[in-house]
Amino acid sequence: PRGARADGCFVWHNEQLDITEPEQKAAIVFDKGWEDLILEVKYEGPPTEFGWIVPLPARPVMSPAKASLFEHLSMITQKQRVGRSQRTARLRATVGMESARVTVLERRRVGVYDAAILSSDSGRGLQDWWKSNDFQLPAGARPVLDDYARRGWVFVAMKIPPEAADSS
């Protein structure tokens, strides 16, 4: 089977730099037609040298989630429970310039990330948009992005600006 990039991929300034994603956590809550996607990504490498693009089926509302969310979820899912647990409170963390076939629907700061919500009719348009921002898509990403674009999905593109980067 082919590898999947269903949750997005990193882009980079310099392909020779060693940027890795040793860990990613995701929580998805679907309730009454509303879907919340909360992502926590651990990455290794210079934070100003890469970006991240995530395909989504509709335009999201983005906000930073509390850093302790996944620690809390880990603790409560390890506890033994008797009977029914109370329903969890709704998790609310989801996070126009034009370029060749790309429309920037929204730009804003979300936590440490500069984020842009993009609409495109092709992976080529997204590749060109990232290139105009001095980033490269990984090999094999364009056909995957083409598929999402044909289905009308939007893309959240994120990067950490130099002023937000720190040693941690």
Side-chain angles (χ1 to χ4, degrees), residues 1-164:
R2 285 181 39 175
R5 287 191 177 90
D7 63 349
C9 63
F10 284 147
V11 296
W12 55 85
H13 284 296
N14 181 348
E15 195 172 350
Q16 305 307 313
L17 289 175
D18 189 18
I19 297 171
T20 61
E21 180 186 11
E23 184 178 326
Q24 182 182 102
K25 297 174 184 172
I28 301 172
V29 177
F30 189 79
D31 185 33
K32 297 177 186 162
W34 184 267
E35 182 175 321
D36 287 318
L37 168 65
I38 300 98
L39 296 172
E40 179 179 278
V41 177
K42 179 179 181 182
Y43 53 84
E44 295 172 351
T48 59
E49 292 296 319
F50 74 93
W52 189 24
I53 186 164
V54 178
L56 298 167
R59 187 173 176 172
V61 174
M62 298 182 296
S63 63
K66 292 187 178 188
S68 62
L69 173 67
F70 289 101
E71 181 180 322
H72 179 70
L73 286 174
S74 176
M75 289 177 6
I76 65 171
T77 57
Q78 291 178 37
K79 292 180 183 176
Q80 211 172 43
R81 299 196 181 262
V82 177
R84 294 184 171 200
S85 62
Q86 275 189 335
R87 185 176 179 127
T88 306
R90 184 178 191 141
L91 299 172
R92 286 216 178 251
T94 51
V95 20
M97 171 185 122
E98 291 189 19
S99 180
R101 296 192 263 166
V102 171
T103 301
V104 178
L105 302 172
E106 181 181 347
R107 278 196 111 112
R108 62 185 294 235
R109 186 72 171 259
V110 181
V112 297
Y113 294 98
D114 277 343
I117 302 173
L118 309 173
S119 172
S120 180
D121 59 2
S122 73
R124 173 67 188 200
L126 292 162
Q127 183 176 27
D128 292 345
W129 186 87
W130 275 111
K131 189 174 183 179
S132 73
N133 285 275
D134 296 323
F135 287 95
Q136 302 172 54
L137 287 172
R142 201 167 121 199
V144 175
L145 296 175
D146 276 333
D147 183 56
Y148 284 117
R150 272 193 298 276
R151 291 189 274 152
W153 286 39
V154 296
F155 303 86
V156 176
M158 296 168 277
K159 66 180 181 177
I160 300 173
E163 67 275 8

